[in-house]
Amino acid sequence: MRKILLPVIALLAVALVFQSCKKSKRVQIVRAINIRGLLTITGSGNTLGVTSSAAIQLAAADVNKYFADKGYPYSIGVDVVDTKHSADIAVAHFKNAEADGVSFIIGPQSSSELAAIKPEVDQSNIIVISQSSTAGSLAIPGDAIFRFCPSDKIEGAAMANTIYKKGQTALVTVTQDDAGNKGLQTSVSAAFIAKGGVVSAVTPFAIGADYSAVVADIKTKVAAYTATYGADKVGVYLASFDEGTEIMKLAANEPTLAAVKWYGGDGAVLSAAYTKEAKVADFAIATSFFAPSVGLPASLETQYKPIADKIKGKTKLDADAFALAAYDAVWAIAYTIEANNGDVSDFAKLKTSFVEQANKHQGITGSDALDEAGDRASGIFDYFGIIKSAVDGTYSWTFKEKSE
């Protein structure tokens, strides 16, 4: 009996080893390729930072499912760091990302932060995709900075056209001392003058400035235009982040400023800072204030709405097209990684491939096709204003109209 059992046991042992080897061959080591978000989680403009963070986390989960379904031996990992809307902190985080071997960065969201990290980007092998920087000064062909939103020239022309068509022929422009907002002030002014209007610009204000002096200057300029053209022909264009609420709080005390129309730049749109204080929100309503976000095509609603709903479920905040563009940016990166079979070691090849993938990618916000400077080549804009609920008296942003 023992003579019979020994060969059987030996055969079973060989079979088990063989099965073990077969199983081990099926175990695939998944290599993570890191994407880092440089976003404003706290500080001015944090509404966009928080919604963008949620967007890229959702995109990463969707991308990794896509990779896993295809059996790829790689995935993406996403982590987000808080720049606090500070150029210096953004630079520090960029240097950390480079030291950590990160290949892709999403953000920063403001042009001032992006301008600060540009010298570092130019010396690195990192592809940077900002979802919301618009400054024309950063529209530079050939660099590794890409922007999934139109530059200020496109937004400025759209806003100027809308303001002029609403009957304003005289415009006082006010801006925060920031590259993106100053770029918007310049582009809106140039386009408005080209339409036949007149413009008077207030000196850019810094964070923590004497806002009363800024408002006094606005009041003087508005009064001069009102005397010449009438209040119904005068408008104020305010390009700012959350600091614009300080201007509006003081302006609410001035009847001459409440008698004209006010308009905003994309740095204000959907920001909770403008709806949390009744004085600001009431002034915005009284002056028909609205601000633009990159428009979302109605034909893609079935694609972007589920993502926007998930973002709101996670953050309790409404996601605009800039945040949803961050979701698209992750997918453009994913297709670039796929096109290179997971190899991100050749930077020149990777950058060329990214442009190719972005140019043919149709995301949830529309086409990601880039112009010669690496910025989104086209775009319409959705205008959002503030309303007050008749039920509970709370304030919220609501869609008003589209640009032409």
Side-chain angles (χ1 to χ4, degrees):
M1 176 69 79
R2 184 179 294 176
K3 289 181 180 179
I4 296 172
L5 285 174
L6 286 174
V8 172
I9 292 170
L11 285 170
L12 286 171
V14 170
L16 287 170
V17 169
F18 180 69
Q19 288 295 324
S20 176
C21 288
K22 283 177 70 179
K23 287 180 180 177
S24 66
K25 286 180 181 178
R26 287 199 295 266
V27 174
Q28 204 168 38
I29 297 174
V30 178
R31 180 169 53 86
I33 297 165
N34 293 325
I35 300 171
R36 185 158 298 173
L38 268 60
L39 304 171
T40 301
I41 305 302
T42 59
S44 180
N46 72 305
T47 295
L48 176 58
V50 171
T51 53
S52 294
S53 177
I56 65 176
Q57 300 287 350
L58 289 168
D62 291 343
V63 164
N64 284 334
K65 183 180 183 305
Y66 171 79
F67 283 169
D69 288 346
K70 285 182 170 284
Y72 292 151
Y74 48 80
S75 66
I76 59 171
V78 169
D79 66 305
V80 174
V81 293
D82 184 6
T83 67
K84 303 181 188 295
H85 204 85
S86 162
D88 291 339
I89 294 175
V91 170
H93 281 317
F94 182 87
K95 290 179 178 179
N96 290 340
E98 187 175 18
D100 292 341
V102 171
S103 297
F104 302 95
I105 281 176
I106 295 177
Q109 62 198 58
S110 75
S111 295
S112 58
E113 295 168 274
L114 192 61
I117 70 169
K118 178 171 168 52
E120 303 293 334
V121 178
D122 292 343
Q123 300 299 315
S124 75
N125 289 332
I126 299 177
I127 292 173
V128 175
I129 309 107
S130 174
Q131 79 279 34
S132 55
S133 163
T134 60
S137 57
L138 292 170
I140 302 171
D143 64 11
I145 292 175
F146 303 93
R147 298 187 292 182
F148 272 32
C149 60
S151 73
D152 55 26
K153 291 181 181 179
I154 298 176
E155 181 181 327
M159 280 298 295
N161 182 58
T162 299
I163 295 169
Y164 195 79
K165 283 194 170 185
K166 287 191 175 296
Q168 277 67 65
T169 54
L171 191 64
V172 176
T173 61
V174 192
T175 182
Q176 190 169 335
D177 193 3
D178 161 89
N181 287 309
K182 289 194 292 185
L184 286 171
Q185 182 192 43
T186 299
S187 61
V188 167
S189 298
F192 193 75
I193 291 169
K195 287 283 181 184
V198 294
V199 174
S200 182
V202 172
T203 302
F205 63 87
I207 296 174
D210 180 0
Y211 298 118
S212 61
V214 178
V215 172
D217 195 2
I218 298 172
K219 182 180 177 182
T220 298
K221 295 181 186 303
V222 166
Y225 275 159
T226 298
T228 303
Y229 302 99
D232 61 323
K233 298 294 184 183
V234 180
V236 176
Y237 174 75
L238 173 61
S240 177
F241 297 111
D242 293 352
E243 286 73 23
T245 60
E246 300 300 323
I247 302 295
M248 295 176 84
K249 273 191 287 188
L250 293 172
N253 299 325
E254 302 292 342
T256 56
L257 297 184
V260 299
K261 296 290 190 292
W262 283 60
Y263 306 91
D266 61 67
V269 71
L270 296 186
S271 170
Y274 289 79
T275 56
K276 72 179 182 181
E277 290 191 56
K279 191 171 186 177
V280 173
D282 285 335
F283 180 78
I285 293 170
T287 58
S288 302
F289 176 81
F290 63 74
S293 177
V294 175
L296 293 167
S299 60
L300 296 178
E301 185 175 2
T302 56
Q303 295 183 44
Y304 68 72
K305 191 174 186 304
I307 303 302
D309 288 345
K310 287 180 181 178
I311 292 172
K312 187 162 187 177
K314 290 170 68 72
T315 66
K316 311 304 179 189
L317 297 168
D318 290 313
D320 63 7
F322 294 113
L324 296 176
Y327 179 93
D328 281 348
V330 174
W331 273 102
I333 291 169
Y335 290 132
T336 301
I337 292 170
E338 181 182 39
N340 287 273
N341 298 312
D343 182 5
V344 295
S345 62
D346 188 333
F347 177 68
K349 183 181 177 183
L350 200 66
K351 189 169 80 165
T352 299
S353 181
F354 178 80
V355 173
E356 291 172 352
Q357 296 304 317
N359 282 340
K360 64 184 182 182
H361 180 224
Q362 182 78 13
I364 62 173
T365 61
S367 171
D368 291 333
L370 304 170
D371 64 16
E372 66 280 358
D375 299 334
R376 194 170 190 142
S378 62
I380 57 173
F381 296 87
D382 288 341
Y383 297 134
F384 291 86
I386 294 172
I387 57 173
K388 183 177 183 178
S389 170
V391 177
D392 58 10
T394 59
Y395 301 92
S396 62
W397 288 91
T398 187
F399 171 77
K400 292 289 187 181
E401 60 185 281
K402 284 188 176 291
S403 66
E404 296 182 6

